Amino acid sequence: MPTWKPSRLRSALFKGDDWLFSSDGETFTLSARGHIPVKGPLLLIQAFAYRRKNVFPSTGECRFVVAGERTDQPYGGLKPDQAEELKRFLDQHVPESIASHALKGQKAINEWQRGLDRRLAADGFIEPATVEKVKESIPSPIIAGLPTWSALFNHPLLSSARERFSSSFPLLGITPVSYLDETVERHNRQVFDKALQRWSIALKKQLESRRWIGRRTAEAMLKGSATPEWPARAWRDVAPTDFQPSAEAWFEAAVAAHNAAFEAKQLDAKRPFFDRVESNPLTEEQAKAVVCMDDELLVVAAAGSGKSSTIVAKAGYALEEGLCAPEDILLLAFNADAAEELRQRIAKRLGHLAGADRIAAKTFHAFGLEVIGAATGKMPTPAPWLSNGKDEAFIGHLVDELCAENPTFAAQWDLFRLLYFKDVGRWDAREEPEDYDPESQRKRGFRTLRGEIVKSKSERLIADWLFLHGVNYRYEEPYPHDTRTATKRQYRPDFYYPDINVFHEHFALNAKGEAPSAFKEYLEGVHWKRQLHREQGTRLFETTAHGLRTGAALAALKDLFQSRGIDLVFDPDRVPPDNDPVSPQAIAKVMRVFQQHMKGSRQTVEQARERIDTLPGAFVPRMELFLDLYEAVAQRWEDRLAAEGLVDFDDMLNQSADHIIAGRFPCSVKMVLADEFQDTSRARMRLLQAIVDASGAQFTAVGDDWQSIYRFAGADLAIMSGFQKSHPHAAIRHLSQTFRCPQSLCNLTSEFVSKNPMQLAKKVSTSNPLKGHRMSVVALPTVEDIPGRLKANIQSLYDKLPDPTDGKPLRSMLILGRYRNDRPKELDAWRQRFGDKIDLRFLTVHRAKGLEADFVALLNVVQDTLGFPSQVQDDPILQLAMPEPETFEFGEERRLFYVALTRAKRSVVVYTTQHQPSQFLVELQENHGVEIVRTEGEPAEPCPVCGQGVLVERVNRATKEVFHSCSRFPRCPPTKED
């Protein structure tokens, strides 16, 4: 039976296994058992494929791809010749069906297309809403007998059908929706590209007409330029690659390129000015810092790189270029000496410029007083106790007043002074002993108020608490039961209380009951002690490092005694007069520094209390007690200021900033330059920001964070080191070339000071041609021997120098000390004797910052409480007042040592002792090849145990034998015997 009908009937029938395909040449039906028949115009069939599966009988399966149908069903049972017939049928009639339906829709589609083209001929963007309306006008595919226009225009055979029946087809070659989208996209692209071109050309023309462009100016230019927008489209999706990722980024790059070109032009055009504005021509780095007029500029300088010269040159450049009037320039300095130096430099170097004498160079405090006076009509009076160290003495005076008036305050003061002033340190660190008792078995440790040596700071605190409360205790007395073994000595509990028959162990355990990782087998010892007391039936009372820091330990100890009927009475008079652990003035000093940071950052005591819990390992009772004392003293301080109508340094800064922010002071400056920015406090920074925000002035800060040494005066290193974080758009320039130190000294000091990760990285080069080693360390038997050796060195230098011809000294020498009392007693005589050839000056290192000399002699660099580094470290309490406290050990002392070394133009000699060389010197010897040379000429040998001291000879008191031990003993134990 035939499976097809004659073609003249334009119909066909094909039948396979349980399926049937029929068509009349225009439509088709595909039926299969168990499935809904598929029907429609023949052009819906987009593809047909056949694959033979069986050899005998010879059959295969075919697949149909039907538009709009999700069918991938194989249809089997069709013989090869039948499949070939079906394929020929489809190849002939599907294109005819395509042409037939195209002809039906030809007129409507062509008319719609012509109307659309006329509509899109207008200028301007075609909005999405308009596009949606146009879509609604697309002729319905029903007029062509189709379910969708995509069935026609997306048909795989459309191109071949169009070639055969070209007259039947509309002008469109894609669906109306696609044509609409492409046409709108092309139109909007042309509109956007033209707008983009006009916008970018206009901005570039504006750039060409300007000098240096700062961020605020650039933002105003961009804001006023009507950045082109493509409706409902993101910039990143429509802008060309050159304008990516945003209009702001493109313009920022254009401004940067403009400024770079302007900088290069000015460096050449203003070279005569740069060459004469200072005694030496400005370096390229200095000149670039002068030309840069970004709204915010941080100049990161090296020691001796010409910071002040750059500031004065920038002010002169602004005048010469007409950027602002002299009255619109404000130079702010850290202290009066620095402000006076700037004024002198301006007069000397800028005197040829009209109005240069009207440039203001002031201290922050002087400017603050002027603002307050202008804003209120009443110039405030600074408190008379602020100068020459009287502020700390005044704190002590207020403490005396409060103690006399308030017994509770007096008791708290005594408790803090006698018990809590010394911190207990980190719980997980091995502590270096502070004292030595040759008569006890435990020779190294920490001395208590009762005079004994205990093993740790925590045990000292507990022992002192017991002593001050009149508790009868015994420290490390042998346990009453014999515990000795072949490998263990007799057990000695930390404390024993005979009046209540209780043993007390203090364990170095955290809140989780964990021991420090460095304490090997420590927990095993804890478990052994607990088990021993259980077995022997003795009462064990425990405290932990965590409990001590939270206050729970001493509270539980107090409850223990009270539960046994023992009343504890705190009595500060139990401490012998000659055993007072700390002077009240030492506490007053910490309190004054704390006050400056609190007022500078405008923190309240309550905010400081809230920070206690955020500090890891905080000694809570100590900090809480200090805050109670500080709150009373600070309130008394403020009351005294208010009663007498006075202000302190922080008031000058805070109140002036408030007046500027509130608009009570007309701030019209156009340029603000801050010198010594590394020593800026939070209050100074707030005043600077208030000036800049109110006036829109260009702000330049110049500093060297490696020389930040005034934390005791409220300076906060984080302000400079974190400047890019707080001012993300600020420009950064570097002054890396020094005019002072030889390169070997630059390399040595840079490597030494830059170990602190909180500081900014920089590389220092020099114009000084001197080569070779420029630092030496001389170790003498005692500190008392140092002046004699220094005198001999001065005499040697004096003898080598020729007689001066102009009556001026030929060389200069700075004699530096960490403290005022380091001043040699014979200095005046030396000046008289050697002054014709050598200019001799003594200064503390703090006072010497900013100065230089041919030679530097640094005295008494020893390892001691008041040595260099000073062992009186920043108290952890200060962290409560500082948003970003510095945690690097001896960070500020390291920078102070750097300042001392970098005063030298030719060389520096450091004087120490053979038995107590500073750990800084030992570090330089170990890591940088600087030898500590004894007066006999023999280099000292570093301690192999701690690496911070050197080996010295000692004599055993009992055997009279000579042995070597560390110069840091008792902090470091004996190391080897001869």
Side-chain angles (χ1 to χ4, degrees):
M1 177 179 179
T3 57
W4 54 273
K5 294 184 179 181
S7 58
R8 59 185 175 82
L9 298 179
R10 298 180 60 82
S11 62
L13 178 66
F14 296 89
K15 184 177 182 182
D17 296 341
D18 299 325
W19 66 275
L20 180 70
F21 175 87
S22 62
S23 173
D24 60 1
E26 289 288 340
T27 62
F28 77 97
T29 301
L30 179 61
S31 305
R33 181 176 295 176
H35 297 276
I36 297 175
V38 178
K39 299 180 179 181
L42 192 60
L43 64 71
L44 294 183
I45 300 178
Q46 297 183 336
F48 170 77
Y50 177 79
R51 183 169 65 93
R52 180 180 290 185
K53 292 196 66 176
N54 300 319
V55 177
F56 185 82
S58 180
T59 60
E61 62 181 23
C62 52
R63 293 177 184 270
F64 296 87
V65 177
V66 181
E69 297 291 336
R70 297 183 59 187
T71 176
D72 193 32
Q73 177 184 345
Y75 297 91
L78 199 65
K79 294 180 180 180
D81 57 337
Q82 294 174 316
E84 185 63 27
E85 284 293 324
L86 177 55
K87 183 177 183 305
R88 283 197 298 270
F89 178 83
L90 294 175
D91 288 346
Q92 177 183 351
H93 294 292
V94 169
E96 293 174 353
S97 177
I98 293 173
S100 173
H101 289 283
L103 182 62
K104 294 177 183 178
Q106 183 185 57
K107 180 179 180 182
I109 289 296
N110 286 344
E111 290 179 356
W112 174 84
Q113 179 186 1
R114 285 190 290 269
L116 175 64
D117 291 343
R118 288 192 299 271
R119 190 169 187 176
L120 297 184
D123 294 333
F125 281 102
I126 299 174
E127 302 285 344
T130 302
V131 174
E132 292 303 316
K133 288 184 178 180
V134 174
K135 285 182 179 179
E136 294 175 1
S137 69
I138 296 174
S140 171
I142 295 176
I143 64 174
L146 297 171
T148 64
W149 285 116
S150 62
L152 171 64
F153 289 103
N154 294 341
H155 200 286
L157 299 179
L158 177 65
S159 296
S160 60
R162 186 184 286 272
E163 291 179 3
R164 290 175 57 189
F165 310 102
S166 59
S167 61
S168 301
F169 284 83
L171 299 175
L172 288 183
I174 55 177
T175 66
V177 171
S178 297
Y179 178 77
L180 173 62
D181 290 341
E182 289 185 6
T183 305
V184 169
E185 176 76 15
R186 185 168 53 253
H187 173 86
N188 284 350
R189 165 59 63 188
Q190 292 175 351
V191 173
F192 181 78
D193 287 348
K194 289 179 181 178
L196 184 64
Q197 185 180 29
R198 290 193 299 269
W199 172 77
S200 60
I201 290 174
L203 282 177
K204 287 180 179 179
K205 285 184 178 180
Q206 289 188 56
L207 293 179
E208 293 171 359
S209 65
R210 293 178 179 268
R211 300 171 58 86
W212 190 283
I213 299 173
R215 175 176 54 85
R216 287 189 295 269
T217 300
E219 289 176 350
M221 291 173 63
L222 187 63
K223 186 176 181 180
S225 67
T227 304
E229 295 181 355
W230 189 320
R233 299 284 290 276
W235 182 278
R236 64 179 178 272
D237 297 329
V238 297
T241 303
D242 293 346
F243 290 86
Q244 294 291 355
S246 65
E248 294 78 11
W250 173 83
F251 188 56
E252 182 179 339
V255 170
H258 166 82
N259 287 342
F262 179 78
E263 177 185 76
K265 175 184 175 183
Q266 290 297 94
L267 290 179
D268 182 59
K270 302 302 295 182
R271 177 46 58 188
F273 171 79
F274 297 144
D275 286 347
R276 72 172 187 271
V277 70
E278 274 291 338
S279 55
N280 293 312
L282 297 188
T283 65
E284 183 172 333
E285 288 181 325
Q286 288 176 306
K288 286 183 175 181
V290 168
V291 173
C292 178
M293 289 295 168
D294 271 23
D295 296 342
E296 298 145 344
L297 169 63
L298 175 65
V299 181
V300 181
S305 61
K307 296 185 291 294
S308 297
S309 296
T310 304
I311 286 179
V312 172
K314 195 174 186 75
Y317 173 81
L319 280 189
E320 184 158 296
E321 291 292 287
L323 301 182
C324 52
E327 296 83 1
D328 295 333
I329 301 175
L330 175 62
L331 278 63
L332 292 174
F334 177 72
N335 55 36
D337 290 343
E340 178 60 27
E341 180 187 354
L342 288 175
R343 285 191 289 268
Q344 292 177 5
R345 281 178 175 264
I346 290 171
K348 184 177 181 180
R349 309 310 313 182
L350 305 182
H352 63 286
L353 296 175
D357 57 333
R358 301 198 300 276
I359 295 175
K362 307 173 183 179
T363 65
F364 283 87
H365 297 121
F367 177 75
L369 287 174
E370 290 181 11
V371 171
I372 297 171
T376 64
K378 297 179 181 180
M379 176 69 73
T381 301
W385 60 78
L386 295 177
S387 59
N388 299 324
K390 295 178 183 177
D391 51 349
E392 295 174 11
F394 187 70
I395 291 282
H397 172 69
L398 297 181
V399 168
D400 291 341
E401 285 184 0
L402 289 166
C403 286
E405 299 171 8
N406 188 337
T408 301
F409 180 90
Q412 289 179 317
W413 175 261
D414 285 331
L415 183 63
F416 185 83
R417 180 174 62 87
L418 298 173
L419 186 64
Y420 286 113
F421 180 71
K422 294 182 178 180
D423 191 52
V424 293
R426 290 175 48 186
W427 79 277
D428 58 347
R430 289 196 179 276
E431 300 168 339
E432 294 185 340
E434 297 177 352
D435 212 336
Y436 169 71
D437 185 359
E439 303 303 326
S440 74
Q441 290 184 334
R442 293 208 174 271
K443 296 182 179 181
R444 302 184 309 120
F446 303 87
R447 192 170 297 276
T448 68
L449 293 175
R450 200 168 73 172
E452 66 215 336
I453 297 294
V454 297
K455 293 180 297 185
S456 68
K457 294 178 182 178
S458 295
E459 288 184 352
R460 177 177 62 188
L461 181 79
I462 294 171
D464 289 346
W465 185 90
L466 295 169
F467 174 73
L468 290 169
H469 286 85
V471 174
N472 178 21
Y473 75 90
R474 299 172 188 172
Y475 179 71
E476 291 202 335
E477 185 177 88
Y479 189 59
H481 302 280
D482 191 357
T483 64
R484 292 173 298 174
T485 67
T487 58
K488 289 186 178 181
R489 299 175 182 176
Q490 175 64 21
Y491 167 50
R492 292 172 176 267
D494 292 336
F495 299 94
Y496 173 62
Y497 307 122
D499 295 346
I500 58 175
N501 193 28
V502 172
F503 296 92
H504 177 183
E505 283 286 355
H506 180 71
F507 296 128
L509 302 177
N510 63 11
K512 299 179 180 179
E514 300 168 336
S517 58
F519 292 14
K520 304 302 181 184
E521 299 181 356
Y522 186 85
L523 284 178
E524 288 80 352
V526 171
H527 298 320
W528 178 85
K529 292 173 183 178
R530 289 171 176 169
Q531 182 63 29
L532 175 66
H533 283 280
R534 283 194 293 267
E535 291 174 353
Q536 297 299 334
T538 50
R539 172 72 189 277
L540 174 64
F541 177 80
E542 297 181 15
T543 54
T544 66
H546 174 72
L548 196 66
R549 280 162 173 75
T550 62
L554 293 184
L557 190 57
K558 180 179 180 181
D559 291 342
L560 170 68
F561 286 106
Q562 290 181 340
S563 68
R564 299 300 180 91
I566 295 180
D567 293 328
L568 303 180
V569 179
F570 173 75
D571 185 2
D573 293 333
R574 290 190 174 96
V575 180
D578 59 347
N579 195 27
D580 205 337
V582 62
S583 69
Q585 205 58 36
I587 305 176
K589 182 175 183 178
V590 173
M591 194 167 285
R592 176 61 179 139
V593 175
F594 185 81
Q595 180 191 39
Q596 289 175 297
H597 284 284
M598 285 287 284
K599 293 193 71 172
S601 59
R602 311 199 90 170
Q603 287 197 83
T604 65
V605 173
E606 284 307 312
Q607 288 173 321
R609 285 196 175 98
E610 292 172 359
R611 290 201 67 196
I612 293 178
D613 293 336
T614 68
L615 298 178
F619 190 4
V620 176
R622 178 176 187 264
M623 291 185 171
E624 289 180 340
L625 182 56
F626 176 85
L627 289 176
D628 289 341
L629 295 170
Y630 168 77
E631 186 172 28
V633 173
Q635 186 59 55
R636 180 64 59 95
W637 175 290
E638 297 299 326
D639 291 344
R640 192 62 54 85
L641 291 176
E644 301 181 24
L646 305 173
V647 292
D648 61 20
F649 291 135
D650 294 297
D651 292 330
M652 300 175 201
L653 304 175
N654 289 331
Q655 291 179 21
S656 59
D658 290 341
H659 287 308
I660 293 173
I661 293 171
R664 292 187 288 269
F665 178 81
C667 205
S668 59
V669 296
K670 294 183 179 179
M671 177 178 286
V672 179
L673 301 119
D675 194 12
E676 303 292 354
F677 191 62
Q678 74 278 355
D679 295 321
T680 299
S681 64
R682 295 279 165 180
R684 285 183 176 88
M685 188 64 232
R686 184 169 179 267
L687 176 57
L688 283 169
Q689 199 63 55
I691 297 170
V692 172
D693 290 345
S695 64
Q698 193 279 331
F699 171 43
T700 297
V702 183
D704 178 6
D705 60 314
W706 290 2
Q707 297 188 73
S708 178
I709 58 173
Y710 286 105
R711 175 172 288 186
F712 64 85
D716 191 338
L717 174 67
I719 293 175
M720 181 168 177
S721 62
F723 190 79
Q724 286 181 280
K725 181 178 179 181
S726 59
H727 297 76
H729 300 290
I732 308 295
R733 295 291 185 271
H734 288 84
L735 303 181
S736 58
Q737 179 179 329
T738 179
F739 302 96
R740 184 184 301 155
C741 303
Q743 190 63 54
S744 62
L745 194 56
C746 290
N747 297 341
L748 175 71
T749 55
S750 296
E751 291 175 12
F752 173 80
V753 76
S754 60
K755 292 184 178 180
N756 187 344
M758 193 173 181
Q759 297 165 179
L760 300 174
K762 62 175 78 85
K763 187 174 182 179
V764 183
S765 61
T766 184
S767 60
N768 189 323
L770 294 177
K771 307 296 183 182
H773 296 294
R774 292 289 157 177
M775 177 179 176
S776 58
V777 181
V778 178
L780 294 108
T782 67
V783 171
E784 289 74 19
D785 297 320
I786 290 177
R789 181 57 183 264
L790 173 59
K791 178 183 178 181
N793 287 350
I794 297 173
Q795 179 73 61
S796 176
L797 173 62
Y798 183 86
D799 293 341
K800 295 176 182 178
L801 294 173
D803 293 331
T805 58
D806 57 0
K808 296 181 180 180
L810 302 174
R811 292 286 184 261
S812 58
M813 178 181 289
L814 277 174
I815 302 172
L816 302 180
R818 174 64 179 82
Y819 310 96
R820 293 188 182 95
N821 59 9
D822 288 330
R823 184 183 191 273
K825 294 181 174 59
E826 296 182 313
L827 180 61
D828 292 337
W830 296 350
R831 283 176 174 168
Q832 185 68 26
R833 182 174 180 179
F834 306 117
D836 60 324
K837 294 184 181 181
I838 307 173
D839 178 20
L840 293 173
R841 297 178 65 189
F842 172 83
L843 292 169
T844 64
V845 182
H846 283 98
R847 295 288 295 173
K849 189 163 82 73
L851 303 179
E852 63 184 23
D854 294 314
F855 303 99
V856 167
L858 183 56
L859 308 183
N860 305 339
V861 184
V862 298
Q863 191 74 12
D864 201 355
T865 302
L866 295 179
F868 202 167
S870 169
Q871 301 294 316
V872 184
Q873 299 185 56
D874 286 340
D875 196 299
I877 284 174
L878 296 181
Q879 297 180 21
L880 297 177
M882 302 184 70
E884 297 180 56
E886 184 178 11
T887 58
F888 190 79
E889 186 178 31
F890 295 122
E892 184 145 304
E893 289 292 306
R894 183 176 289 263
R895 292 190 293 273
L896 189 63
F897 191 65
Y898 169 81
V899 168
L901 300 183
T902 54
R903 300 309 93 195
K905 294 192 292 183
R906 300 183 69 87
S907 65
V908 57
V909 179
V910 181
Y911 295 86
T912 185
T913 63
Q914 297 173 2
H915 296 273
Q916 287 183 294
S918 163
Q919 69 184 69
F920 286 168
L921 298 179
V922 177
E923 178 182 330
L924 289 174
Q925 178 173 264
E926 283 194 333
N927 300 336
H928 305 285
V930 177
E931 291 187 346
I932 303 175
V933 180
R934 302 174 190 267
T935 51
E936 296 82 3
E938 177 188 354
E941 181 182 350
C943 173
V945 176
C946 70
Q948 298 182 19
V950 296
L951 295 182
V952 297
E953 290 184 339
R954 299 185 188 275
V955 178
N956 187 297
R957 293 189 180 186
T959 65
K960 305 303 181 183
E961 294 180 355
V962 176
F963 68 98
H964 287 83
S965 73
C966 182
S967 59
R968 299 177 64 252
F969 182 85
R971 287 178 171 82
C972 184
T975 54
K976 67 179 182 180
E977 294 188 1
D978 282 356

